[in-house]
Amino acid sequence: MKRQDEVIAGSSETLRQLNYIENLKKHYIDKASEIGRPLTAHIATFGCQMNARDSEKIAGILEQIGYTMIDSEDADFVVYNTCTVRENANLKVYGRLGYLSKLKKKNPNMMIALCGCMMQEDAVVEKIKKSYRFVDIIFGTHNIFKLAELIQARIESKGMIIDIWEGTKEIVEDLPSERKFKFKAGVNIMYGCNNFCSYCIVPYVRGRERSRDSKDIIKEIKELVADGVVEIMLLGQNVNSYGKTLETPMSFSELLQEIEQIEGLERIRFMTSHPKDLSDSLIEVMKNSKKICNHLHLPVQAGSSRILKIMNRKYTKEQYLELVEKIKAAVPNISLTTDLIVGFPGETEEDFLETLDVVRKVRYTAAYTFIYSKRTGTPAANMEEQVPEEIIKDRFNRLLKEIQKISSELSEPDTGSIQKVLVEEINGQDNSLLTGRLSNNLLVHFKGDPSLIGKIIDVRLDTCKGFYYLGEAIL
Ligand code: SAH
Ligand code: SF4
Ligand code: F3S
């Protein structure tokens, strides 16, 4: 059974959880000496930035209790932090669980935990209970902070532990967290979503919108900066409605102005902006800011006003285009990116041409294109007129071609210029190269010493490769 709106007192809950962590530490010291090696853990993260951030919280707890994080699933504790936004995300998890069961047979110390958005669906939990008995712990999106308590329960009970909450009003602060990058970090400013776009499952699995207190956000960012972070990404399903649920309401643009003042912080990004709530004051703040990056992700989803209405997006094609013009006028050269869905139920060729028209008018530096996926429980799942697969594929390819053409036209003119980049990592394919991120979110690969990672340096963009550049560091 799911529990409804569990009432938990913020700071006393933190203390309770820290107590579980302390007790488990002792347990794992004994365990490690018993088997003669440190215990290892691995987290596989699916889905969006929200899940990436949640995985850092999970890693924080696991490291505190004594696990060493490793890159392989051949570990003593494996967590799958799942996504369910499209059906293929779910299928991937079931496929990989088969492989995990083989690893578990070989390792008697192994524990498997499943969490994230997929676990908020009753049918999924039923299926795992029935067909994947070897799973040890299942928890959801609202009770990540309880992981140590759940591990303790699993050690004591020997049976599968399932703890899924329908929703929560509380936000538990100040638990450990282990960042993936030393120099950049995601910071949740709100949780959940109230928008109920008709195709989308997120509001059902992430619950109602709740904003974090601005004092907690500022405190977290100051601590991150003191610990070496220069770039933050503020996270929320719709950052533009930040603050509406707070006792003393505060707007997103007011929050940004406070964050701008934090000394030592160099770059601010945020995601995602719903076009219906993007205010003039936000545009003004972006225009005047020295730290907000020259990039805005503004999902349009579709170009046809008729489809947008059925999607429950609450703006028309014309309103979206007007908004884009306002932003471009205030922040010239801004890099705009978007999300697009192809094949929403009832989408006609004329509707699709409207999407192409928006793409041509806005000119996005990049766009994430998705084939519509039917999600049980959402209003769109009951709509008739699902579009045939061949038609969707054809539209998808035409859209991709147009996006690619425009994005390389947009990045070409910057060739030869010198830009500030945040050096992020050693290039995955060629380890003599480093990869850096421009303010506009595009990447550049260049030769350099790994000691540059985490620094903001000048790089000349020598060759444009469409979505990215090859360049040279100017030191
Ligand atoms: N809150 C964000 C994005 C959340 S999900 C926003 O509103 O923009 C990320 C993207 O997944 C969405 O923007 C949408 O393009 C896509 N998406 C969501 N549900 C989908 C579905 N049922 N089928 C295909 N794509 C979907
Ligand atoms: Fe989904 Fe819409 Fe909420 Fe984004 S705003 S998470 S697309 S319901
Ligand atoms: Fe997926 Fe959940 Fe994000 S469904 S896209 S991981 S909010």
Side-chain angles (χ1 to χ4, degrees):
M1 265 306 282
K2 287 185 184 179
R3 287 184 238 168
Q4 191 78 33
D5 281 338
E6 183 108 345
V7 179
I8 37 173
S11 59
S12 69
E13 181 59 29
T14 306
L15 289 178
R16 232 170 66 79
Q17 292 305 323
L18 291 174
N19 202 22
Y20 279 111
I21 291 175
E22 277 312 306
N23 287 339
L24 281 173
K25 251 184 210 171
K26 292 185 205 111
H27 170 87
Y28 278 101
I29 289 172
D30 292 347
K31 187 96 195 156
S33 69
E34 183 192 313
I35 59 173
R37 60 170 177 83
L39 286 130
T40 56
H42 175 78
I43 306 172
T45 310
F46 303 84
C48 69
Q49 305 270 356
M50 296 288 163
N51 266 13
R53 179 71 190 109
D54 286 347
S55 286
E56 293 184 343
K57 295 176 186 171
I58 294 166
I61 295 173
L62 291 175
E63 289 218 330
Q64 286 276 315
I65 64 179
Y67 281 107
T68 305
M69 302 306 297
I70 58 166
D71 245 353
S72 145
E73 286 179 16
D74 198 353
D76 300 304
F77 198 105
V78 175
V79 184
Y80 277 3
N81 190 5
T82 62
C83 169
T84 187
V85 76
R86 287 169 288 275
E87 196 183 4
N88 51 9
N90 290 36
L91 298 177
K92 232 189 266 172
V93 168
Y94 290 126
R96 279 171 69 162
L97 273 177
Y99 167 68
L100 272 196
S101 82
K102 289 197 193 97
L103 291 179
K104 194 171 180 183
K105 279 190 191 121
K106 284 193 287 177
N107 180 359
N109 296 304
M110 188 171 178
M111 269 201 219
I112 298 173
L114 302 180
C115 64
C117 298
M118 210 175 136
M119 301 306 132
Q120 293 292 137
E121 293 179 90
D122 295 337
V124 170
V125 175
E126 284 311 310
K127 181 165 172 163
I128 291 164
K129 263 164 63 182
K130 215 168 126 227
S131 313
Y132 300 87
R133 292 292 318 158
F134 55 89
V135 170
D136 295 283
I137 302 172
I138 303 179
F139 57 107
T141 56
H142 301 294
N143 56 349
I144 285 170
F145 66 89
K146 272 184 76 180
L147 178 59
E149 183 178 348
L150 300 177
I151 294 175
Q152 178 78 48
R154 174 68 187 84
I155 291 169
E156 283 164 9
S157 87
K158 311 275 182 236
M160 191 191 279
I161 302 289
I162 303 174
D163 192 14
I164 312 282
W165 297 6
E166 187 87 54
T168 180
K169 291 199 180 94
E170 296 290 333
I171 296 171
V172 181
E173 299 281 353
D174 294 328
L175 277 171
S177 157
E178 189 58 39
R179 289 203 309 281
K180 191 166 169 215
F181 296 97
K182 181 112 192 66
F183 52 89
K184 68 169 188 175
V187 175
N188 297 109
I189 63 166
M190 60 202 300
Y191 299 93
C193 181
N194 282 354
N195 293 303
F196 292 94
C197 302
S198 63
Y199 51 81
C200 184
I201 199 159
V202 171
Y204 306 90
V205 294
R206 285 273 171 182
R208 292 296 66 71
E209 192 178 291
R210 301 123 12 247
S211 291
R212 266 179 91 191
D213 201 281
S214 66
K215 286 192 201 69
D216 291 324
I217 298 170
I218 302 283
K219 177 169 161 265
E220 181 179 344
I221 299 174
K222 282 186 175 161
E223 285 167 4
L224 288 167
V225 170
D227 196 34
V229 165
V230 290
E231 177 179 302
I232 52 152
M233 164 86 87
L234 305 173
L235 300 174
Q237 294 298 352
N238 176 14
V239 292
N240 296 330
S241 67
Y242 170 78
K244 287 185 183 157
T245 58
L246 292 172
E247 260 172 45
T248 334
M250 180 188 203
S251 71
F252 180 51
S253 50
E254 285 164 341
L255 176 71
L256 276 173
Q257 281 168 295
E258 282 200 23
I259 295 173
E260 175 98 14
Q261 306 305 320
I262 298 176
E263 234 169 276
L265 179 66
E266 307 266 355
R267 283 180 163 188
I268 305 169
R269 299 184 187 275
F270 49 85
M271 202 161 156
T272 299
S273 276
H274 195 307
K276 79 177 164 67
D277 296 314
L278 198 146
S279 66
D280 287 349
S281 68
L282 174 61
I283 299 178
E284 200 54 29
V285 168
M286 288 179 72
K287 180 179 165 178
N288 297 323
S289 167
K290 304 240 170 345
K291 298 185 178 174
I292 298 175
C293 288
N294 191 27
H295 169 224
L296 179 67
H297 186 61
L298 195 63
V300 64
Q301 313 296 359
S304 146
S305 295
R306 187 185 78 84
I307 294 286
L308 285 169
K309 189 158 189 356
I310 312 172
M311 283 180 162
N312 195 29
R313 290 290 290 181
K314 302 202 169 75
Y315 53 83
T316 61
K317 176 189 178 189
E318 290 69 31
Q319 285 166 331
Y320 182 89
L321 290 175
E322 244 172 64
L323 179 64
V324 164
E325 282 316 310
K326 242 196 295 186
I327 296 163
K328 282 182 175 172
V331 193
N333 275 324
I334 187 153
S335 156
L336 292 166
T337 57
T338 202
D339 290 349
L340 292 156
I341 296 176
V342 179
F344 183 80
E347 182 191 75
T348 62
E349 176 64 16
E350 286 69 36
D351 293 322
F352 174 69
L353 291 176
E354 299 273 19
T355 298
L356 274 184
D357 188 47
V358 167
V359 165
R360 286 186 190 123
K361 289 201 164 106
V362 178
R363 298 178 64 76
Y364 297 106
T365 1
Y368 301 92
T369 46
F370 305 107
I371 288 179
Y372 168 73
S373 172
K374 190 169 158 177
R375 305 315 288 129
T376 308
T378 63
N382 300 325
M383 290 175 193
E384 284 158 19
E385 300 181 83
Q386 303 278 334
V387 183
E389 210 178 300
E390 321 79 71
I391 296 186
I392 295 185
K393 284 211 170 120
D394 171 63
R395 287 180 191 162
F396 188 82
N397 292 335
R398 282 153 68 200
L399 183 62
L400 215 59
K401 232 165 128 185
E402 194 63 37
I403 291 163
Q404 281 166 355
K405 182 175 141 261
I406 294 169
S407 66
S408 46
E409 281 169 11
L410 284 175
S411 36
E412 186 62 49
D414 282 338
T415 315
S417 69
I418 294 172
Q419 305 262 350
K420 292 249 175 279
V421 312
L422 172 58
V423 187
E424 294 198 337
E425 57 195 355
I426 297 173
N427 185 299
Q429 265 132 47
D430 176 351
N431 58 20
S432 73
L433 295 178
L434 298 175
T435 297
R437 193 175 295 273
L438 280 68
S439 172
N440 71 6
N441 212 35
L442 289 184
L443 297 178
V444 56
H445 308 296
F446 56 96
K447 286 223 179 320
D449 191 85
S451 64
L452 291 172
I453 291 173
K455 300 209 166 76
I456 294 179
I457 62 163
D458 283 327
V459 173
R460 193 184 53 238
L461 311 178
D462 291 330
T463 321
C464 174
K465 295 277 188 186
F467 281 110
Y468 65 95
Y469 300 94
L470 295 177
E472 195 181 321
I474 313 283
L475 297 172

